[in-house]
Amino acid sequence: MTLDVSKERTRNYLYQIKGAVVYKAASMLASFLAIPMMIRYLGQEQFGVWSTLLTVMSWIVLFDLGVGNGLRNKVAEALARNDKTQAANYIASGYSLIGLISLLLWIVSTIAAFFVPWQTVFNTQIISETTLCITVQVVIFFIVLNFWVGLISPILGAVQKTAITALGQLISNVLALCFVYLLTETTDATLTYLALAYGFSLVIANITLTLWFYKSQPELRPKPYLEIQHISPLLAVGLQFFTIQIAVLVIFTTDKILITQLFGPEYVTQYDVVFKLLSIITFVHSLISAPLWSAYTDAYHRNDMRWIRRMLNKQLAIFVGIIVATFVMCYFIKQLILMWIGEELNISQPLIFSLGVFVLVSTWNNIYAMIVNGIGEISLQLHTSFIAMLINIPLAILFVKYFDMGLSGVVLATVVSLSLAAVVLPIQVHRIIRAST
């Protein structure tokens, strides 16, 4: 029976990768086609503001208190025990809890947005304070709404249907591409219109996935339900993920804010274009690693450590190929930018190199984070993330202002911050595997 389950898990894992390859490749193509349109539509400075705005607003997603990731683990555990009733109760409690959090968050964020000097935040004078405030309000509304309807993503992850999540991203990106094209043809450059286009794209995609999933899985369909015996475990696991998410937020998303404040929003475009191209590497790795989280959960709770060890060895073999691909892309990246954007950008070699190293370190960490996330042993990751969060911004300021390292100094600060996890997470994983075999 265990052998059959192990084979089925592997078969499903490979099937999810195949599906995700098609959906995510098309999704990335739509995203890449949209970016030159947006740069031409808004101009470099307004596009830099838009990119930074999305970064700032993504902070709101963290206020789910880690419920999404906690829900993913608890539903996967229940399904590993073939307890669909328990899984349905966790799903219902998750929706109810996130719904309450979303409502409160929308009220607080909407009121607070009126008191923030947005021109100062984004270091720009070319967009009026009124336009920025309205745009922020629109983005807040859609992000908070997606906060609730987007709960379908961790649920799909829990049932090991990550390819469907990739389909949702494809739907969203294709809709966004169509909306952006219409904006370029019919309107003047306005951030508010772009915010509306992206907001509707996200929400429509997640509602589509939600309706499909609960039609095909009626036994998991949520009902109004909020029970302390299911809320407490979600929050116990979720709050640990929440702390890690905050740390990851500071580490991964403050780069654009630091660049905006230290250099100006037009420099965000240089950083973002290089980052988007190199994100092809992380995109490819996400195709391979995304289905593993809940697969590791299932294997761990069925005591199938041989499967976990086998998958880890395959991931490390793949990482060697990722190293080669990253160096090749960094070497040809200026030519790729010219082909993609249609114009030359003044991008330094140190920025390209530092972003390449960042991609490799973050990919390495992700290989091991998937295992500890899946089995729920995240306390060590929590501590390394917290330390990285504390040192990231001071290091960036030190590298830029005192060592005069330019944009690459901001990125290298992130690389140094991630280095602790790059050492200790592999040690933790190998110890867990040895102790369980």
Side-chain angles (χ1 to χ4, degrees):
M1 178 64 180
T2 302
L3 184 59
D4 291 340
V5 171
S6 180
K7 287 182 178 179
E8 174 59 25
R9 188 187 304 116
T10 302
R11 187 201 64 79
N12 181 67
Y13 166 65
L14 295 174
Y15 179 79
Q16 296 305 313
I17 291 177
K18 290 175 184 177
V21 165
V22 176
Y23 299 140
K24 285 201 171 185
S27 176
M28 179 163 278
L29 176 61
S31 177
F32 270 53
L33 290 174
I35 287 173
M37 284 188 195
M38 286 188 289
I39 293 176
R40 288 194 293 270
Y41 177 62
L42 295 175
Q44 284 200 30
E45 185 168 346
Q46 283 202 76
F47 177 77
V49 172
W50 168 250
S51 181
T52 307
L53 170 62
L54 290 184
T55 299
V56 173
M57 292 299 105
S58 70
W59 294 4
I60 296 176
V61 177
L62 295 179
F63 286 92
D64 73 340
L65 304 180
V67 171
N69 287 327
L71 179 64
R72 177 174 185 166
N73 275 18
K74 288 300 178 182
V75 171
E77 288 176 27
L79 293 176
R81 297 191 301 266
N82 296 314
D83 191 348
K84 289 192 174 183
T85 300
Q86 184 84 315
N89 287 337
Y90 275 124
I91 290 172
S93 293
Y95 271 107
S96 298
L97 182 60
I98 288 294
L100 293 173
I101 293 173
S102 297
L103 180 60
L104 178 63
L105 193 58
W106 176 66
I107 294 171
V108 172
S109 299
T110 300
I111 294 172
F114 286 105
F115 299 95
V116 176
W118 293 109
Q119 284 187 325
T120 303
V121 170
F122 296 112
N123 193 20
T124 184
Q125 297 296 320
I126 67 168
I127 308 172
S128 71
E129 188 70 36
T130 300
T131 298
L132 282 172
C133 187
I134 292 172
T135 302
V136 168
Q137 298 281 359
V138 170
V139 172
I140 286 173
F141 171 77
F142 280 110
I143 285 180
V144 172
L145 178 57
N146 194 61
F147 199 45
W148 186 61
V149 297
L151 203 59
I152 190 64
S153 292
I155 294 170
L156 286 168
V159 300
Q160 299 182 54
K161 298 288 185 184
T162 51
I164 305 301
T165 304
L167 175 60
Q169 293 170 353
L170 172 59
I171 295 170
S172 175
N173 284 1
V174 168
L175 286 173
L177 175 62
C178 294
F179 288 147
V180 169
Y181 176 76
L182 288 174
L183 290 178
T184 61
E185 294 295 314
T186 60
T187 67
D188 295 326
T190 306
L191 275 180
T192 305
Y193 291 158
L194 194 59
L196 286 166
Y198 267 78
F200 277 116
S201 301
L202 278 172
V203 171
I204 290 171
N206 278 319
I207 289 176
T208 302
L209 292 190
T210 300
L211 294 174
W212 170 85
F213 178 74
Y214 291 117
K215 183 178 179 180
S216 63
Q217 300 280 347
E219 67 275 13
L220 297 179
R221 193 175 297 158
K223 299 175 182 178
Y225 182 85
L226 193 64
E227 181 64 48
I228 191 65
Q229 67 178 6
H230 294 106
I231 293 298
S232 295
L234 287 181
L235 289 176
V237 177
L239 286 173
Q240 293 184 69
F241 279 118
F242 173 62
T243 306
I244 294 171
Q245 283 176 294
I246 289 182
V248 168
L249 172 75
V250 173
I251 297 166
F252 283 85
T253 65
T254 51
D255 282 4
K256 291 180 184 178
I257 298 169
L258 286 168
I259 291 170
T260 297
Q261 292 298 320
L262 295 172
F263 300 98
E266 65 274 15
Y267 287 89
V268 175
T269 302
Q270 298 178 28
Y271 166 91
D272 208 35
V273 168
V274 178
F275 182 81
K276 283 287 194 305
L277 272 176
L278 287 174
S279 69
I280 294 173
I281 305 293
T282 53
F283 153 72
V284 171
H285 185 253
S286 72
L287 293 178
I288 300 165
S289 63
L292 286 172
W293 179 324
S294 294
Y296 284 138
T297 305
D298 183 78
Y300 183 74
H301 287 280
R302 295 179 190 270
N303 200 30
D304 193 356
M305 300 305 295
R306 290 181 61 188
W307 189 89
I308 293 176
R309 189 193 307 112
R310 187 166 67 250
M311 279 297 160
L312 174 59
N313 290 336
K314 290 180 179 179
Q315 294 297 303
L316 294 176
I318 290 168
F319 183 70
V320 175
I322 288 176
I323 294 174
V324 174
T326 301
F327 277 104
V328 170
M329 181 163 282
C330 285
Y331 185 80
F332 291 105
I333 200 160
K334 288 189 177 181
Q335 294 93 316
L336 293 172
I337 291 171
L338 182 59
M339 291 169 57
W340 176 32
I341 301 298
E343 61 179 278
E344 288 191 24
L345 298 179
N346 184 24
I347 298 170
S348 68
Q349 204 63 41
L351 176 62
I352 296 169
F353 172 79
S354 59
L355 280 168
V357 174
F358 164 77
V359 166
L360 292 177
V361 173
S362 59
T363 301
W364 170 264
N365 287 356
N366 191 52
I367 291 172
Y368 292 95
M370 281 293 167
I371 298 177
V372 297
N373 289 348
I375 67 179
E377 296 287 343
I378 58 175
S379 58
L380 183 59
Q381 185 185 185
L382 189 155
H383 289 100
T384 59
S385 299
F386 187 73
I387 293 170
M389 176 183 69
L390 292 179
I391 67 174
N392 183 52
I393 294 177
L395 276 178
I397 295 172
L398 177 69
F399 289 168
V400 171
K401 291 202 167 184
Y402 295 94
F403 291 96
D404 197 25
M405 297 176 72
L407 295 182
S408 61
V410 176
V411 181
L412 287 175
T414 304
V415 171
V416 173
S417 301
L418 294 173
S419 297
L420 178 60
V423 175
V424 301
L425 287 184
I427 295 172
Q428 180 194 15
V429 167
H430 288 294
R431 284 181 176 175
I432 290 171
I433 291 175
R434 283 198 301 269
S436 302
T437 54

